[in-house]
Amino acid sequence: MTMLNVGRPTRPEGAVGGAGHTSLGGGRGLLQDEPLIFELGGWDKTGVDLPAADQDASDLGDLVRSAPIGLPGLSEPETMRHYVRLSQKNHAIDLALYPLGSCTMKHNPRLNEKMARLAGFADLHPLAPQSTVQGALALMDRLAHWLKTLTGMPAVALSPKAGAHGELCGLLSIRAAHEANGQGHRRTVLVPTSAHGTNPATAAFVGYSVVEIAQTEDGRVDIADLAAKLSPDVAAIMVTNPNTCGLFEREVIEIGRLTHEAGAYFYCDGANFNAIVGRVRPGDLGVDAMHINLHKTFSTPHGGGGPGAGPVVLSAALAPFAPAPWVVAGEDGFELVEEAEGEAAQAFGRMSAFHGQMGMFVRAYAYMLSHGADGLRQVAEDAVLNANYLKARLSSVMSPAFPEGPCMHEALFDDGWLDGTGVTTLDFAKAMIDEGFHPMTMYFPLVVHGAMLIEPTETEPKQELDRFCEALIALAGAAKAGEVDRFKGAPYLAPMRRLDETLAARKPRLTWRSDDKGVSPAPLAAE
Amino acid sequence: MRYLPLTPADRAEMLATIGAATIDDLFVDVPQAARRRDLFDLPLHAGELEVERELSALAAMNRPAGAGPFFCGAGAYSHHVPATVDHVIQRSEFLTSYTPYQPEIAQGTLQVLFEFQTQVAALTGLEVANASMYDGSTACAEAVMMAQRVTRRKKAVLSGGLHPHYAATTQTIAHAEGMDIVRQAAAIDAEAAVLDAIDGDTACVVVQTPNVFGVVTDVTKIAEAAHAAGALLIVVTTEAVSYGLLKSPGEMGADIAVAEGQSIGNGLNFGGPFVGLFACREKLVRQMPGRLCGETVDADGRRGFVLTLSTREQHIRREKATSNICTNSGLCALAFTIHLSLLGERGLRELAAINHAKARELCDALAAVAGVEVLTPRFFNEFAIRVKGKAAQVVESLLADSVVAGVPFSRLDPAAGLDDVLLVAATETTTSEHIKAFAQALAGRTA
């Protein structure tokens, strides 16, 4: 049998001219251009066999759809091939290091997937009688116990569906508490300049005006600026800790003290909790509310952009305002409280239709059990060790944004070391793809010029970190040696060359239309 | 600790490279008072077998929907998902990838999102759709806030036929942003009352079809009234399979359509993760929340896809963003798109027809039970019945016959005073034996 590897680079040097060599069909060997389902499928084709329905069953008259919907169908083998081919155009944490700072791309254990697919969890209706879902409620109760213990906080709201949704939940709790305490006039939220964009967006959503807090030379919240901006109008501060520069806020206890003295609440963005889990309890730092991205700290998969899960832990001051629903343990088992009544009447409302991301709860809980108290402590240690190791090794060629002292779980570099090379952060990132790595987070945090934020996570072996460092050191050498073309044209060896994002924004094409180029499916067969 | 690859020797070597004596030296910025020396009061690490044992025991305490006669709907539906769907979404390249920030190595995810957007636009009869939201209820809240941005008005009228949890979510989230939410009282045929509430201050009207009682409504007149007053019509659908049989929101004049997409490709999962569908008229696209995927070309001129119009989003616009949404339900959207590709036009129409036929069969069987009154005049796969006594007690008592009879309306809205109303749903997973068992058990109880 002939080996079908023509046109598919097996060695980088053999494919340097990859851009110039195309197959006769215009594809890239096995990496063929994959049409859209609208170009592949047929209006009359289906990949499922359904039992016949009674065609005369409808009494819906003119409420029945008359015109075709416009949905192509594929047979099962075509479906399989289409989506498997598409999958081959994606990078994944299961393929190599995925060092997106602030995103925490760690190993996603398959045990978690297996557990979440048990029929007793996956095939459970949210409104089934509570006596028939006691195991699910018990799991939510145990997950809540772990989250409360690990954070040293007395209460948790499980229902937020993602980190940003958790931020919203936390700020709504804060607003409800202020209103209950006659402090509803507080309309300002202080947010450091280095914060995730979700923080100011969330504060604005809740109707607050956002005031930025300056940052010190060493990458932390400027306490003097914070103190100057705290006023009777401030409802809360939102601080990420460890922060988005990958640094622990040394003055965090002072931040909490000043905030509370001013009558405001301390919201902590818990996106980076994996750096301190098992070693530091946010409750001990004076935090009033913190969301926990289960997908970041507790390894639930990111799935190409979600689903996430963002439970929020709350201090005693905010606990009475937590949104419904929640689980309580009674004599006859667990009870799901879905309406705020009686002593719980201060609850601020509801975050979503049901009880939160149960499928993610199962995965996160499986991860917690697998690690235990000892393993989770080791998680934080290894996450921090890996990041500092990268920082130490790469500092020989790249410029760390904050060279003094250790970083936490991520290492931040600026683009100072690229000065005079003609290579930008973006060029460098795209060239990393040709070396077989997903680029780091670029241009964030905004406070560092040409930022490159690298987060290895705790599940990377030393060998992979070394391979990564050697690749970056070699690339840095190439940049400094003036090999600008290597960078400007990159990536050469990816499924696609650099994509024109400006064109996409200037002339938005957000859906396929039947007048698009490509094969148009046959019209719907008359029934 | 099988997920942690570093050996003690690795750690020692790495610390030496860093120039630190111990791991504690790397935590030097943490205040001494906050450094926990002891292990937390939680169990120690467990092997795969032990974890499986604990979680399997918890799962065994639950009764899955597929275990027997089961009639719960009300915003989450028990449908069959082809094996291909779950197999494909478990491929590493989909499961363990991230938001496609590097489009050159994320074309798989991006092309799927483009296909998803096109499918959702087609289903809803609108021109553009985003790349998914958390779920239907939060999508509903986002739609109301979007209407505020478009019309610069504050008042939102929520029909009494809207799922009470959707209404509550919208009240929580949209009210926080300054919207004045007018929530009408729950009623079987609530849509008629909506017309009277529309005025010159109204930003949007939110109606659900089929509504929470299962009533299928032609919202064309509501659309006309809303548009005459300068307001937008938002149409909510909690059962996406209904799109296969019923007129689309766009056909009836909706400006924004939001829906729960769980029914297609996604399991019940005790209420999440689900996937929110969100579509609108093309002229409104720059006020849309969430992620959008667009077509473009690469440096060689080949068609490719990227996330686009991100100047609406929080990572660029910060406090001026259209939404604070950062992640979406990417993997759930993928499952939706695969399942819908398998179904196609023909399959979805057939599936919808089967659902409707099963519900009609269920309706006939229950209507024949003494003391049962069917309340929903025209329905898709779900309807409301009035029972003798409290619906919640009827449901509890039928558990003895292994029948999970449906959702008491009081569970969704205890204050509505509709304690004798039970919502029942049928899907393609419902068998004639299940229907018979339900009717017999109900007759036995009421006799």
Side-chain angles (χ1 to χ4, degrees):
Chain A
M1 180 181 158
T2 312
M3 292 295 285
L4 296 171
N5 64 350
V6 178
R8 190 179 205 200
T10 53
R11 291 193 310 270
E13 64 269 30
V16 164
H21 183 94
T22 49
S23 70
L24 297 175
R28 296 190 177 192
L30 290 178
L31 271 181
Q32 292 291 321
D33 285 343
E34 183 62 19
L36 291 155
I37 49 173
F38 310 94
E39 298 153 352
L40 271 176
W43 300 139
D44 205 26
K45 192 183 269 190
T46 184
V48 293
D49 291 327
L50 294 163
D54 177 359
Q55 293 296 315
D56 301 325
S58 173
D59 61 351
L60 292 163
D62 61 359
L63 293 172
V64 170
R65 197 186 260 284
S66 51
I69 308 169
L71 296 172
L74 301 172
S75 66
E76 189 175 303
E78 288 170 301
T79 302
M80 201 65 206
R81 202 169 274 171
H82 175 69
Y83 289 103
V84 170
R85 281 177 173 169
L86 287 183
S87 77
Q88 291 176 320
K89 298 175 194 287
N90 265 5
H91 189 69
I93 186 62
D94 286 347
L95 293 171
L97 181 69
Y98 209 123
L100 279 177
S102 194
C103 297
T104 313
M105 291 299 290
K106 67 173 79 172
H107 173 59
N108 303 138
R110 289 311 187 276
L111 172 62
N112 302 354
E113 298 303 308
K114 185 178 176 187
M115 295 299 95
R117 284 174 173 78
L118 293 171
F121 298 129
D123 191 27
L124 218 53
H125 193 285
L127 301 169
Q130 295 190 11
S131 60
T132 67
V133 296
Q134 285 293 303
L137 299 181
L139 186 136
M140 289 168 73
D141 187 65
R142 289 184 202 178
L143 179 79
H145 174 72
W146 278 71
L147 292 174
K148 288 186 285 187
T149 304
L150 291 169
T151 58
M153 308 276 280
V156 60
L158 292 178
S159 60
K161 287 183 163 282
H165 205 220
E167 290 175 27
L168 196 55
C169 175
L171 285 198
L172 287 170
S173 306
I174 286 170
R175 204 177 81 160
H178 279 313
E179 280 170 5
N181 299 331
Q183 296 286 304
H185 59 275
R186 291 177 177 267
R187 306 306 303 164
T188 301
V189 169
L190 304 182
V191 182
T193 47
S194 62
H196 293 114
T198 50
N199 292 174
T202 301
F205 247 47
V206 181
Y208 289 125
S209 55
V210 175
V211 173
E212 292 200 326
I213 319 171
Q215 179 170 309
T216 58
E217 286 282 298
D218 67 353
R220 272 89 171 176
V221 170
D222 185 330
I223 299 288
D225 194 48
L226 168 68
K229 285 172 179 164
L230 279 168
S231 73
D233 187 48
V234 173
I237 58 162
M238 297 181 86
V239 173
T240 306
N241 193 25
N243 68 24
T244 55
C245 298
L247 303 170
F248 196 88
E249 294 286 351
R250 285 188 208 110
E251 309 281 348
V252 60
I253 290 174
E254 182 67 2
I255 292 172
R257 194 185 65 78
L258 289 170
T259 301
H260 291 149
E261 257 180 29
Y265 291 104
F266 182 178
Y267 186 88
C268 182
D269 181 321
N272 302 326
F273 187 51
N274 69 317
I276 56 172
V277 63
R279 288 186 68 101
V280 180
R281 301 190 308 175
D284 296 338
L285 304 174
V287 169
D288 292 298
M290 182 179 94
H291 74 265
I292 299 162
N293 306 74
L294 293 183
H295 44 291
K296 291 186 174 184
T297 299
F298 300 107
S299 83
T300 70
H302 288 72
V312 176
V313 286
L314 297 165
S315 65
L318 295 182
F321 306 98
W326 57 83
V327 176
V328 293
E331 282 179 14
D332 301 326
F334 291 99
E335 193 193 338
L336 189 67
V337 179
E338 292 185 274
E339 291 285 330
E341 288 172 340
E343 61 186 49
Q346 286 181 290
F348 70 72
R350 175 176 275 279
M351 292 301 297
S352 64
F354 302 116
H355 328 308
Q357 307 286 59
M358 179 66 181
M360 300 299 129
F361 300 164
V362 179
R363 290 170 175 87
Y365 186 54
Y367 187 79
M368 290 172 174
L369 290 178
S370 297
H371 278 89
D374 49 339
L376 288 176
R377 188 180 172 87
Q378 189 70 53
V379 159
E381 295 181 0
D382 286 356
V384 171
L385 180 63
N386 279 353
N388 279 283
Y389 181 67
L390 286 185
K391 184 183 170 194
R393 285 208 61 188
L394 294 175
S395 290
S396 61
V397 291
M398 296 165 64
S399 41
F402 303 101
E404 297 305 315
C407 59
M408 295 301 284
H409 60 296
E410 53 196 354
L412 179 60
F413 298 88
D414 59 32
D415 63 356
W417 62 282
L418 285 169
D419 279 352
T421 61
V423 175
T424 65
T425 297
L426 180 70
D427 298 332
F428 189 80
K430 297 301 184 192
M432 283 171 65
I433 295 173
D434 286 338
E435 302 304 320
F437 292 101
H438 193 286
M440 70 292 263
T441 292
M442 288 180 293
Y443 303 119
F444 181 81
L446 307 174
V447 292
V448 169
H449 194 269
M452 299 176 221
L453 185 60
I454 303 176
E455 179 172 2
T457 83
E458 63 276 14
T459 57
E460 287 307 325
K462 180 171 176 296
Q463 291 87 335
E464 181 75 352
L465 299 179
D466 285 332
R467 192 172 79 88
F468 180 71
C469 288
E470 279 142 28
L472 261 59
I473 289 166
L475 274 180
K480 288 171 183 172
E483 290 181 39
V484 178
D485 289 350
R486 172 182 291 280
F487 295 90
K488 289 293 171 201
Y492 293 97
L493 307 175
M496 306 241 26
R497 300 287 308 286
R498 215 177 289 191
L499 285 143
D500 189 344
E501 301 194 32
T502 309
L503 174 70
R506 197 177 294 147
K507 294 170 70 181
R509 293 172 72 88
L510 305 173
T511 54
W512 181 87
R513 308 246 164 113
S514 56
D515 56 356
D516 281 4
K517 64 180 192 282
V519 185
S520 292
L524 180 69
E527 291 192 30
Chain B
M1 292 169 202
R2 57 196 179 279
Y3 305 144
L4 300 177
L6 297 183
T7 64
D10 289 337
R11 292 185 182 114
E13 202 181 318
M14 291 163 75
L15 281 172
T17 302
I18 295 164
T22 68
I23 191 75
D24 283 328
D25 293 347
L26 301 180
F27 286 84
V28 68
D29 290 327
V30 179
Q32 281 290 350
R35 285 194 226 174
R36 306 287 296 192
R37 306 283 168 198
D38 48 337
L39 285 182
F40 289 35
D41 185 17
L42 293 166
L44 299 182
H45 70 276
E48 185 152 335
L49 176 62
E50 294 163 274
V51 176
E52 280 202 44
R53 217 173 254 153
E54 173 163 352
L55 285 163
S56 300
L58 285 172
M61 290 162 65
N62 300 320
R63 180 200 191 274
F70 187 89
F71 301 92
C72 294
Y77 300 87
S78 173
H79 289 288
H80 178 254
V81 178
T84 296
V85 175
D86 194 45
H87 181 86
V88 173
I89 70 167
Q90 286 202 70
R91 281 186 67 87
S92 286
E93 303 89 335
F94 286 129
L95 184 74
T96 79
S97 60
Y98 192 63
T99 307
Y101 289 135
Q102 298 291 339
E104 297 83 5
I105 49 172
Q107 284 300 300
T109 292
L110 285 160
Q111 184 167 333
V112 169
L113 293 179
F114 189 80
E115 293 176 349
F116 173 84
Q117 288 173 187
T118 308
Q119 287 173 326
V120 173
L123 286 171
T124 55
L126 290 163
E127 289 100 37
V128 287
N130 73 12
S132 87
M133 313 287 283
Y134 305 140
D135 74 346
S137 66
T138 53
C140 179
E142 292 281 353
V144 168
M145 291 186 285
M146 177 170 153
Q148 180 188 25
R149 292 192 295 276
V150 170
T151 63
R152 299 177 186 276
R153 296 177 183 178
K154 295 271 183 198
K155 181 176 151 187
V157 177
L158 273 48
S159 153
L162 180 63
H163 193 295
H165 288 178
Y166 281 50
T169 301
T170 304
Q171 242 170 349
T172 299
I173 297 176
H175 176 69
E177 215 202 359
M179 288 296 282
D180 171 19
I181 308 287
V182 178
R183 183 176 168 183
Q184 301 196 318
I188 302 282
D189 200 358
E191 288 69 29
V194 167
L195 291 171
D196 298 332
I198 302 172
D199 60 25
D201 296 328
T202 307
C204 62
V205 176
V206 184
V207 291
Q208 180 177 326
T209 181
N211 77 11
V212 71
F213 300 99
V215 180
V216 176
T217 308
D218 185 342
V219 299
T220 309
K221 284 202 170 57
I222 301 173
E224 285 164 6
H227 294 156
L232 301 184
L233 175 67
I234 298 169
V235 173
V236 176
T237 304
T238 61
E239 169 53 289
V241 173
S242 69
Y243 287 135
L245 180 66
L246 303 174
K247 260 190 188 155
S248 71
E251 250 182 302
M252 296 188 285
D255 301 287
I256 305 173
V258 297
E260 176 50 66
Q262 171 266 325
S263 285
I264 299 178
N266 289 278
L268 289 165
N269 289 313
F270 202 46
F274 281 7
V275 52
L277 314 184
F278 194 112
C280 69
R281 301 278 175 208
E282 191 154 31
K283 64 181 179 190
L284 306 178
V285 68
R286 284 171 201 274
Q287 293 300 331
M288 250 186 161
R291 289 265 151 76
L292 290 170
C293 173
E295 186 182 320
T296 189
V297 293
D298 78 351
D300 290 341
R302 298 155 77 216
R303 178 173 69 182
F305 303 93
V306 294
L307 292 180
T308 194
L309 298 183
S310 54
T311 47
R312 303 164 299 112
E313 289 189 70
Q314 39 72 31
H315 65 277
I316 293 179
R317 291 278 280 167
R318 297 177 79 83
E319 70 267 27
K320 294 187 181 66
T322 56
S323 164
N324 73 335
I325 287 181
C326 180
T327 190
N328 58 353
S329 285
L331 199 69
C332 303
L334 171 68
F336 179 97
T337 291
I338 299 169
H339 191 183
L340 200 53
S341 302
L342 279 165
L343 287 164
E345 180 97 18
R346 162 165 296 222
L348 183 68
R349 283 168 176 258
E350 284 177 7
L351 181 63
I354 295 163
N355 271 256
H356 185 53
K358 287 290 181 190
R360 301 247 310 165
E361 184 184 339
L362 176 66
C363 185
D364 291 346
L366 297 185
V369 175
V372 169
E373 182 192 351
V374 175
L375 301 175
T376 307
R378 290 183 300 184
F379 54 83
F380 170 61
N381 70 349
E382 180 166 24
F383 55 93
I385 59 174
R386 179 166 286 136
V387 294
K388 279 187 187 163
K390 292 195 166 166
Q393 285 171 6
V394 170
V395 170
E396 279 304 315
S397 69
L398 292 195
L399 287 177
D401 298 300
S402 293
V403 173
V404 181
V407 178
F409 190 76
S410 61
R411 176 129 188 224
L412 299 176
D413 187 355
L418 298 172
D419 290 356
D420 56 355
V421 173
L422 181 66
L423 307 179
V424 295
T427 70
E428 76 282 1
T429 65
T430 309
T431 66
S432 296
E433 288 69 37
H434 291 164
I435 292 171
K436 248 176 250 163
F438 185 7
Q440 273 172 14
L442 194 57
R445 188 192 170 277
T446 50

